[in-house]
Protein backbone atom coordinates (compact mmCIF):
# COMPACT_ATOMS: atom_id res chain seq x y z
CA UNK A 1 0.00 0.00 0.00
CA UNK A 2 1.21 3.48 -0.85
CA UNK A 3 2.18 5.27 2.36
CA UNK A 4 0.28 8.37 1.26
CA UNK A 5 -2.95 6.35 1.09
CA UNK A 6 -4.12 6.12 4.69
CA UNK A 7 -6.25 3.06 5.55
CA UNK A 8 -9.74 3.99 6.77
CA UNK A 9 -9.44 1.65 9.73
CA UNK A 10 -6.15 3.00 11.03
CA UNK A 11 -6.91 3.96 14.63
CA UNK A 12 -3.92 6.30 14.87
CA UNK A 13 -5.19 8.20 11.85
CA UNK A 14 -8.71 8.34 13.23
CA UNK A 15 -7.42 9.56 16.59
CA UNK A 16 -5.40 12.33 14.96
CA UNK A 17 -8.43 13.37 12.92
CA UNK A 18 -10.66 13.52 15.99
CA UNK A 19 -8.12 15.60 17.86
CA UNK A 20 -7.80 17.93 14.85
CA UNK A 21 -11.59 18.37 14.88
CA UNK A 22 -11.43 19.15 18.62
CA UNK A 23 -8.71 21.75 18.02
CA UNK A 24 -10.68 23.35 15.19
CA UNK A 25 -13.74 23.51 17.46
CA UNK A 26 -11.67 25.14 20.21
CA UNK A 27 -10.38 27.69 17.69
CA UNK A 28 -13.95 28.56 16.74
CA UNK A 29 -14.81 29.02 20.43
CA UNK A 30 -11.77 31.29 20.76
CA UNK A 31 -13.16 33.51 18.00
CA UNK A 32 -16.51 33.67 19.82
CA UNK A 33 -14.80 34.65 23.08
CA UNK A 34 -12.71 37.25 21.23
CA UNK A 35 -15.89 38.69 19.75
CA UNK A 36 -17.36 38.81 23.24
CA UNK A 37 -14.42 40.94 24.41
CA UNK A 38 -15.05 43.48 21.65
CA UNK A 39 -18.84 43.44 22.08
CA UNK A 40 -18.56 44.18 25.79
CA UNK A 41 -15.84 46.82 25.36
CA UNK A 42 -13.49 44.81 27.57
CA UNK A 43 -10.40 44.80 25.33
CA UNK A 44 -8.40 46.95 27.78
CA UNK A 45 -9.97 45.67 30.99
CA UNK A 46 -6.59 44.06 31.69
CA UNK A 47 -4.03 46.75 30.76
CA UNK A 48 -0.83 44.66 30.87
CA UNK A 49 0.44 41.54 29.08
CA UNK A 50 1.40 38.71 29.42
CA UNK A 51 0.52 39.12 33.12
CA UNK A 52 -2.77 40.54 34.33
CA UNK A 53 -2.34 43.44 36.78
CA UNK A 54 1.07 41.91 37.48
CA UNK A 55 -0.47 38.53 38.43
CA UNK A 56 -1.03 35.21 36.74
CA UNK A 57 -4.71 35.25 37.71
CA UNK A 58 -6.44 38.60 38.38
CA UNK A 59 -9.64 39.33 40.27
CA UNK A 60 -12.52 37.76 38.33
CA UNK A 61 -14.86 40.75 38.02
CA UNK A 62 -16.33 43.18 35.46
CA UNK A 63 -14.78 43.26 32.02
CA UNK A 64 -11.76 41.37 33.37
CA UNK A 65 -13.84 38.19 33.11
CA UNK A 66 -14.15 38.56 29.35
CA UNK A 67 -10.61 39.74 28.63
CA UNK A 68 -8.87 37.23 30.90
CA UNK A 69 -11.25 34.50 29.74
CA UNK A 70 -10.11 35.27 26.20
CA UNK A 71 -6.49 34.81 27.27
CA UNK A 72 -7.32 31.49 28.91
CA UNK A 73 -9.11 30.33 25.76
CA UNK A 74 -6.13 31.38 23.65
CA UNK A 75 -3.76 29.49 25.95
CA UNK A 76 -5.93 26.39 25.63
CA UNK A 77 -5.79 26.55 21.83
CA UNK A 78 -2.00 27.02 21.96
CA UNK A 79 -1.65 23.85 24.05
CA UNK A 80 -4.03 21.89 21.81
CA UNK A 81 -2.17 23.00 18.69
CA UNK A 82 1.17 22.05 20.24
CA UNK A 83 -0.16 18.58 21.06
CA UNK A 84 -1.63 18.29 17.56
CA UNK A 85 1.73 19.19 16.02
CA UNK A 86 3.59 16.62 18.14
CA UNK A 87 0.98 13.97 17.33
CA UNK A 88 1.08 14.73 13.60
CA UNK A 89 4.88 14.65 13.40
CA UNK A 90 4.85 11.26 15.10
CA UNK A 91 2.03 9.50 13.22
CA UNK A 92 1.18 11.46 10.04
CA UNK A 93 3.08 10.02 7.02
CA UNK A 94 2.34 12.92 4.69
CA UNK A 95 5.05 15.53 4.98
CA UNK A 96 2.90 18.39 3.67
CA UNK A 97 0.25 17.75 6.35
CA UNK A 98 2.92 17.85 9.06
CA UNK A 99 4.17 21.14 7.68
CA UNK A 100 0.61 22.51 7.66
CA UNK A 101 0.21 21.68 11.35
CA UNK A 102 3.55 23.35 12.10
CA UNK A 103 2.36 26.42 10.20
CA UNK A 104 -0.79 26.47 12.33
CA UNK A 105 1.31 26.45 15.51
CA UNK A 106 3.47 29.25 14.18
CA UNK A 107 0.39 31.26 13.29
CA UNK A 108 -1.16 30.93 16.73
CA UNK A 109 2.10 32.15 18.27
CA UNK A 110 1.93 35.19 15.97
CA UNK A 111 -1.72 35.59 16.94
CA UNK A 112 -0.84 35.64 20.64
CA UNK A 113 1.91 38.22 20.09
CA UNK A 114 -0.45 40.44 18.10
CA UNK A 115 -2.96 40.17 20.93
CA UNK A 116 -0.33 41.29 23.41
CA UNK A 117 0.75 44.21 21.22
CA UNK A 118 -2.90 45.23 20.85
CA UNK A 119 -3.17 45.54 24.63
CA UNK A 120 0.20 47.18 25.23
CA UNK A 121 -0.34 49.81 22.49
CA UNK A 122 -3.97 50.37 23.53
CA UNK A 123 -5.85 49.01 20.51
CA UNK A 124 -4.11 50.46 17.43
CA UNK A 125 -6.47 49.85 14.50
CA UNK A 126 -3.96 48.13 12.20
CA UNK A 127 -2.78 45.68 14.86
CA UNK A 128 -6.31 44.97 16.11
CA UNK A 129 -7.49 44.17 12.57
CA UNK A 130 -4.38 42.04 11.94
CA UNK A 131 -5.21 40.15 15.15
CA UNK A 132 -8.71 39.46 13.81
CA UNK A 133 -7.38 38.49 10.37
CA UNK A 134 -4.92 35.95 11.77
CA UNK A 135 -7.68 34.47 13.95
CA UNK A 136 -9.76 33.74 10.85
CA UNK A 137 -6.70 32.41 8.99
CA UNK A 138 -5.93 30.14 11.94
CA UNK A 139 -9.47 28.77 11.86
CA UNK A 140 -9.08 28.07 8.13
CA UNK A 141 -5.84 26.18 8.79
CA UNK A 142 -7.40 24.13 11.59
CA UNK A 143 -10.43 23.24 9.47
CA UNK A 144 -8.13 22.27 6.60
CA UNK A 145 -6.07 20.01 8.88
CA UNK A 146 -9.23 18.37 10.19
CA UNK A 147 -10.34 17.69 6.61
CA UNK A 148 -6.97 16.40 5.41
CA UNK A 149 -6.54 14.03 8.37
CA UNK A 150 -9.95 12.45 7.78
CA UNK A 151 -9.22 8.86 6.61
CA UNK A 152 -11.85 9.29 3.89
CA UNK A 153 -9.92 12.16 2.29
CA UNK A 154 -7.40 9.92 0.51
CA UNK A 155 -10.05 7.51 -0.76
CA UNK A 156 -12.56 10.07 -2.08
CA UNK A 157 -13.50 9.11 -5.65
CA UNK A 158 -13.07 11.55 -8.51
CA UNK A 159 -16.21 12.93 -10.20
CA UNK A 160 -16.31 14.64 -13.57
CA UNK A 161 -17.45 18.28 -13.51
CA UNK A 162 -19.59 19.43 -16.46
CA UNK A 163 -17.68 21.89 -18.69
CA UNK A 164 -18.19 25.53 -17.72
CA UNK A 165 -16.42 28.86 -18.08
CA UNK A 166 -15.62 28.90 -14.36
CA UNK A 167 -15.01 25.45 -12.82
CA UNK A 168 -16.83 24.83 -9.54
CA UNK A 169 -13.60 24.55 -7.48
CA UNK A 170 -12.46 27.95 -8.78
CA UNK A 171 -15.88 29.48 -8.09
CA UNK A 172 -15.93 28.06 -4.55
CA UNK A 173 -12.43 29.40 -3.90
CA UNK A 174 -13.45 32.87 -5.10
CA UNK A 175 -16.53 32.73 -2.86
CA UNK A 176 -14.41 31.80 0.16
CA UNK A 177 -11.97 34.64 -0.57
CA UNK A 178 -14.88 37.11 -0.75
CA UNK A 179 -16.21 35.84 2.59
CA UNK A 180 -12.78 36.33 4.19
CA UNK A 181 -12.54 39.87 2.79
CA UNK A 182 -16.01 40.65 4.13
CA UNK A 183 -14.95 39.48 7.59
CA UNK A 184 -11.92 41.79 7.45
CA UNK A 185 -14.14 44.74 6.50
CA UNK A 186 -16.36 43.86 9.45
CA UNK A 187 -13.31 43.77 11.73
CA UNK A 188 -12.25 47.24 10.60
CA UNK A 189 -15.78 48.53 11.19
CA UNK A 190 -15.96 46.91 14.61
CA UNK A 191 -12.61 48.25 15.81
CA UNK A 192 -13.48 51.72 14.49
CA UNK A 193 -16.65 51.55 16.61
CA UNK A 194 -18.63 52.26 13.44
CA UNK A 195 -21.21 49.52 13.79
CA UNK A 196 -24.09 51.89 14.50
CA UNK A 197 -23.13 55.00 12.53
CA UNK A 198 -25.90 53.97 10.12
CA UNK A 199 -28.70 53.42 12.65
CA UNK A 200 -31.33 51.82 10.41
CA UNK A 201 -31.58 48.63 8.34
CA UNK A 202 -32.03 47.63 5.56
CA UNK A 203 -32.01 51.30 4.46
CA UNK A 204 -29.29 53.81 5.29
CA UNK A 205 -30.67 56.97 6.89
CA UNK A 206 -33.90 56.17 5.06
CA UNK A 207 -32.16 55.89 1.65
CA UNK A 208 -30.66 53.09 -0.42
CA UNK A 209 -27.27 54.81 -0.07
CA UNK A 210 -26.22 57.22 2.70
CA UNK A 211 -26.99 60.86 1.79
CA UNK A 212 -23.76 62.00 3.46
CA UNK A 213 -20.40 60.40 4.09
CA UNK A 214 -17.42 60.19 6.38
CA UNK A 215 -14.90 57.39 6.99
CA UNK A 216 -17.14 55.71 9.56
CA UNK A 217 -20.21 55.71 7.34
CA UNK A 218 -18.08 54.55 4.41
CA UNK A 219 -16.75 51.45 6.22
CA UNK A 220 -20.20 50.63 7.58
CA UNK A 221 -21.81 50.90 4.14
CA UNK A 222 -18.93 48.90 2.60
CA UNK A 223 -19.72 46.10 5.04
CA UNK A 224 -23.36 46.15 3.94
CA UNK A 225 -22.37 46.11 0.27
CA UNK A 226 -19.99 43.27 1.03
CA UNK A 227 -22.89 41.29 2.48
CA UNK A 228 -24.72 41.65 -0.84
CA UNK A 229 -21.65 40.41 -2.75
CA UNK A 230 -21.21 37.46 -0.39
CA UNK A 231 -24.88 36.55 -0.76
CA UNK A 232 -24.60 36.61 -4.55
CA UNK A 233 -21.45 34.48 -4.53
CA UNK A 234 -22.94 31.94 -2.13
CA UNK A 235 -26.16 31.64 -4.13
CA UNK A 236 -24.19 31.23 -7.36
CA UNK A 237 -21.94 28.55 -5.90
CA UNK A 238 -24.73 26.63 -4.18
CA UNK A 239 -26.85 26.73 -7.34
CA UNK A 240 -23.95 25.20 -9.28
CA UNK A 241 -23.56 22.43 -6.73
CA UNK A 242 -27.26 21.57 -6.63
CA UNK A 243 -27.62 21.72 -10.40
CA UNK A 244 -24.59 19.61 -11.32
CA UNK A 245 -23.68 17.55 -8.23
CA UNK A 246 -26.82 17.13 -6.15
CA UNK A 247 -26.05 13.43 -5.70
CA UNK A 248 -22.57 14.06 -4.19
CA UNK A 249 -23.17 14.27 -0.43
CA UNK A 250 -19.71 15.71 0.27
CA UNK A 251 -20.61 18.77 -1.84
CA UNK A 252 -24.35 19.05 -1.29
CA UNK A 253 -24.20 19.11 2.52
CA UNK A 254 -21.78 22.03 2.95
CA UNK A 255 -23.62 23.87 0.15
CA UNK A 256 -26.95 23.58 1.97
CA UNK A 257 -25.20 24.45 5.23
CA UNK A 258 -23.90 27.63 3.62
CA UNK A 259 -27.40 28.74 2.70
CA UNK A 260 -28.69 28.13 6.22
CA UNK A 261 -25.75 29.90 7.87
CA UNK A 262 -26.03 32.84 5.48
CA UNK A 263 -29.72 33.38 6.27
CA UNK A 264 -29.05 33.28 10.02
CA UNK A 265 -26.04 35.58 9.60
CA UNK A 266 -28.07 38.22 7.76
CA UNK A 267 -30.75 38.06 10.44
CA UNK A 268 -28.14 38.48 13.17
CA UNK A 269 -26.70 41.49 11.36
CA UNK A 270 -30.13 43.10 11.30
CA UNK A 271 -30.81 42.24 14.95
CA UNK A 272 -27.42 43.69 15.92
CA UNK A 273 -28.51 47.07 14.54
CA UNK A 274 -32.10 46.94 15.76
CA UNK A 275 -30.95 45.93 19.29
CA UNK A 276 -28.40 48.76 19.48
CA UNK A 277 -25.55 46.20 19.35
CA UNK A 278 -26.75 43.93 22.14
CA UNK A 279 -23.92 41.68 23.27
CA UNK A 280 -25.32 38.28 22.32
CA UNK A 281 -26.44 38.97 18.73
CA UNK A 282 -23.34 41.08 18.05
CA UNK A 283 -20.98 38.35 19.26
CA UNK A 284 -22.99 35.64 17.50
CA UNK A 285 -22.73 37.66 14.28
CA UNK A 286 -18.93 37.60 14.58
CA UNK A 287 -18.81 33.89 15.33
CA UNK A 288 -21.27 32.92 12.62
CA UNK A 289 -19.20 34.84 10.08
CA UNK A 290 -16.33 32.50 10.99
CA UNK A 291 -18.67 29.52 10.58
CA UNK A 292 -19.66 30.73 7.09
CA UNK A 293 -15.98 31.05 6.19
CA UNK A 294 -15.17 27.56 7.51
CA UNK A 295 -18.10 26.02 5.61
CA UNK A 296 -17.11 27.80 2.40
CA UNK A 297 -13.54 26.53 2.82
CA UNK A 298 -14.83 23.00 3.39
CA UNK A 299 -16.83 23.14 0.18
CA UNK A 300 -13.82 24.52 -1.69
CA UNK A 301 -11.39 21.84 -0.52
CA UNK A 302 -13.85 19.06 -1.24
CA UNK A 303 -14.60 20.50 -4.68
CA UNK A 304 -10.90 20.51 -5.57
CA UNK A 305 -10.53 16.96 -4.26
CA UNK A 306 -13.63 15.53 -5.95
CA UNK A 307 -13.83 17.58 -9.15
CA UNK A 308 -10.20 18.54 -9.70
CA UNK A 309 -7.57 16.54 -11.54
CA UNK A 310 -7.99 12.76 -11.29
CA UNK A 311 -5.90 11.03 -8.62
CA UNK A 312 -2.22 10.58 -9.47
CA UNK A 313 -2.49 6.82 -9.91
CA UNK A 314 -5.30 7.24 -12.41
CA UNK A 315 -3.34 9.90 -14.28
CA UNK A 316 -0.26 7.66 -14.48
CA UNK A 317 -2.36 4.75 -15.71
CA UNK A 318 -3.98 6.93 -18.39
CA UNK A 319 -0.57 8.22 -19.49
CA UNK A 320 0.83 4.68 -19.73
CA UNK A 321 -2.17 3.55 -21.77
CA UNK A 322 -1.73 6.43 -24.20
CA UNK A 323 1.96 5.53 -24.64
CA UNK A 324 1.05 1.92 -25.45
CA UNK A 325 -1.51 3.05 -28.02
CA UNK A 326 1.03 5.44 -29.53
CA UNK A 327 3.60 2.65 -29.89
CA UNK A 328 1.04 0.34 -31.52
CA UNK A 329 0.04 3.02 -34.01
CA UNK A 330 3.68 3.73 -34.82
CA UNK A 331 4.38 0.03 -35.35
Amino acid sequence: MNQSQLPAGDEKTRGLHRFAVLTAGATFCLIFVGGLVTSTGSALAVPDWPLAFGKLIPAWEGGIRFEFGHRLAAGTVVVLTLVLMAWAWRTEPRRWVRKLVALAFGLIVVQAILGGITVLLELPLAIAVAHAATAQALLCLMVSIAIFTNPRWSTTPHVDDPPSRIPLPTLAAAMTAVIYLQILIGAVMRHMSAGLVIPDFPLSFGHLAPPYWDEYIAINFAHRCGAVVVTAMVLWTVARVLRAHREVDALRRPALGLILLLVVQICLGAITIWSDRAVLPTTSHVALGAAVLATGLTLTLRAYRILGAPPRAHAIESHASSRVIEREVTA
Side-chain angles (χ1 to χ4, degrees), residues 98-131:
R98 298 197 302 268
K99 288 184 176 181
L100 198 64
V101 179
L103 177 62
F105 181 73
L107 189 59
I108 196 171
V109 171
V110 172
Q111 169 77 348
I113 293 173
L114 285 173
I117 295 174
T118 300
V119 172
L120 296 177
L121 298 185
E122 298 184 357
L123 299 177
L125 179 61
I127 301 299
V129 173
H131 183 63

Side-chain angles (χ1 to χ4, degrees), residues 54-101:
K55 304 176 182 178
L56 287 176
I57 302 177
W60 201 259
E61 58 186 12
I64 298 174
R65 294 173 298 174
F66 302 111
E67 168 60 13
F68 191 70
H70 179 52
R71 296 187 185 189
L72 291 178
T76 300
V77 175
V78 169
V79 172
L80 289 175
T81 307
L82 181 60
V83 173
L84 180 65
M85 183 175 65
W87 194 338
W89 278 84
R90 182 170 181 176
T91 64
E92 173 57 59
R94 294 165 295 180
R95 187 176 184 181
W96 62 272
V97 175
R98 298 197 302 268
K99 288 184 176 181
L100 198 64
V101 179

Side-chain angles (χ1 to χ4, degrees), residues 234-255:
V234 168
L235 292 177
W236 184 8
T237 306
V238 171
R240 281 281 302 277
V241 171
L242 297 182
R243 184 173 66 249
H245 303 289
R246 180 184 294 270
E247 75 286 353
V248 182
D249 289 346
L251 299 178
R252 185 185 69 252
R253 289 174 180 173

Side-chain angles (χ1 to χ4, degrees), residues 293-311:
L293 177 64
T295 307
L297 177 64
T298 299
L299 177 58
T300 300
L301 294 177
R302 289 182 178 179
Y304 272 103
R305 178 66 183 177
I306 295 171
L307 307 176

Side-chain angles (χ1 to χ4, degrees), residues 22-271:
L22 172 66
T23 307
T27 305
F28 176 78
C29 293
L30 176 60
I31 290 176
F32 179 86
V33 175
L36 196 61
V37 170
T38 306
S39 301
T40 57
S42 305
L44 292 178
V46 180
D48 51 340
W49 185 88
L51 297 177
F53 297 100
K55 304 176 182 178
L56 287 176
I57 302 177
W60 201 259
E61 58 186 12
I64 298 174
R65 294 173 298 174
F66 302 111
E67 168 60 13
F68 191 70
H70 179 52
R71 296 187 185 189
L72 291 178
T76 300
V77 175
V78 169
V79 172
L80 289 175
T81 307
L82 181 60
V83 173
L84 180 65
M85 183 175 65
W87 194 338
W89 278 84
R90 182 170 181 176
T91 64
E92 173 57 59
R94 294 165 295 180
R95 187 176 184 181
W96 62 272
V97 175
R98 298 197 302 268
K99 288 184 176 181
L100 198 64
V101 179
L103 177 62
F105 181 73
L107 189 59
I108 196 171
V109 171
V110 172
Q111 169 77 348
I113 293 173
L114 285 173
I117 295 174
T118 300
V119 172
L120 296 177
L121 298 185
E122 298 184 357
L123 299 177
L125 179 61
I127 301 299
V129 173
H131 183 63
T134 53
Q136 300 293 334
L138 177 65
L139 177 64
C140 288
L141 270 177
M142 294 301 187
V143 169
S144 299
I145 293 166
I147 291 173
F148 296 146
T149 54
N150 189 329
R152 297 179 181 178
W153 174 258
S154 297
T155 58
T156 302
H158 175 76
V159 176
D160 290 330
D161 193 23
S164 59
R165 181 172 298 180
I166 302 178
L168 178 58
T170 303
L171 178 60
M175 174 198 68
T176 304
V178 168
I179 294 171
Y180 184 75
L181 179 60
Q182 167 69 351
I183 290 176
L184 294 189
I185 295 173
V188 174
M189 180 187 71
R190 190 165 65 252
H191 288 289
M192 288 179 63
S193 300
L196 289 177
V197 293
I198 301 178
D200 51 340
F201 181 86
L203 298 177
S204 302
F205 301 104
H207 299 78
L208 288 177
Y212 39 86
W213 297 84
D214 60 21
E215 59 182 347
Y216 299 97
I217 294 174
I219 192 65
N220 188 296
F221 192 68
H223 188 57
R224 296 188 180 200
C225 292
V228 175
V229 175
V230 167
T231 299
M233 291 294 293
V234 168
L235 292 177
W236 184 8
T237 306
V238 171
R240 281 281 302 277
V241 171
L242 297 182
R243 184 173 66 249
H245 303 289
R246 180 184 294 270
E247 75 286 353
V248 182
D249 289 346
L251 299 178
R252 185 185 69 252
R253 289 174 180 173
L256 294 177
L258 263 178
I259 288 292
L260 177 61
L261 289 172
L262 181 65
V263 171
V264 177
Q265 177 72 339
I266 292 173
C267 293
L268 283 173
I271 294 172

